[in-house]
Amino acid sequence: MRKKRGKKKPTNKEFRKRFPARDSAAVRSLAANLRRLRKARDWSQDQLAAELEIEQNAVSLLENSRSNPTLLLVEQIAELFGVPVSELLVTPCQDR
């Protein structure tokens, strides 16, 4: 029997090292607000990713404060949900 070749799945420790949680109030607020706005529309991460034209794992990293999104992506998120950028970065974000 031949072994499968390819990438091995990272362990939780390796994942946390590669994608550490960001210790930033703005990043944590963006994460919470993004999750809240997505759920208010009853969208899955896959559906949000499709709307933003990014990968689902990128949405997951954003919602778990493990990503530093570009300003362009933050603007795109704000436009999609009809909120000012500033509301994404402070807590609480009011659903509209």
Side-chain angles (χ1 to χ4, degrees):
M1 181 179 258
R2 293 170 55 172
K3 289 185 177 182
K4 288 184 180 181
R5 291 187 182 203
K7 295 181 182 178
K8 74 173 192 172
K9 188 174 179 180
T11 64
N12 284 341
K13 186 176 180 180
E14 290 168 336
F15 178 83
R16 285 190 303 271
K17 185 176 179 182
R18 185 167 177 205
F19 299 104
R22 308 297 185 206
D23 189 24
S24 161
V27 173
R28 286 191 308 272
S29 293
L30 176 63
N33 290 326
L34 180 58
R35 181 179 293 114
R36 182 174 34 257
L37 290 167
R38 175 180 63 79
K39 288 184 175 190
R41 292 213 178 167
D42 200 28
W43 285 351
S44 67
Q45 287 184 346
D46 283 323
Q47 289 169 308
L48 177 57
E51 290 289 330
L52 295 172
E53 297 180 348
I54 62 176
E55 298 291 325
Q56 177 276 326
N57 63 345
V59 173
S60 177
L61 291 172
L62 286 167
E63 288 189 357
N64 288 290
S65 303
R66 295 185 180 279
S67 176
N68 288 324
T70 65
L71 184 55
L72 293 174
L73 180 58
V74 174
E75 287 177 330
Q76 188 180 0
I77 292 166
E79 185 177 315
L80 177 64
F81 288 111
V83 298
V85 168
S86 60
E87 285 191 31
L88 291 175
L89 303 177
V90 296
T91 303
C93 175
Q94 296 190 8
D95 295 51
R96 293 188 177 182

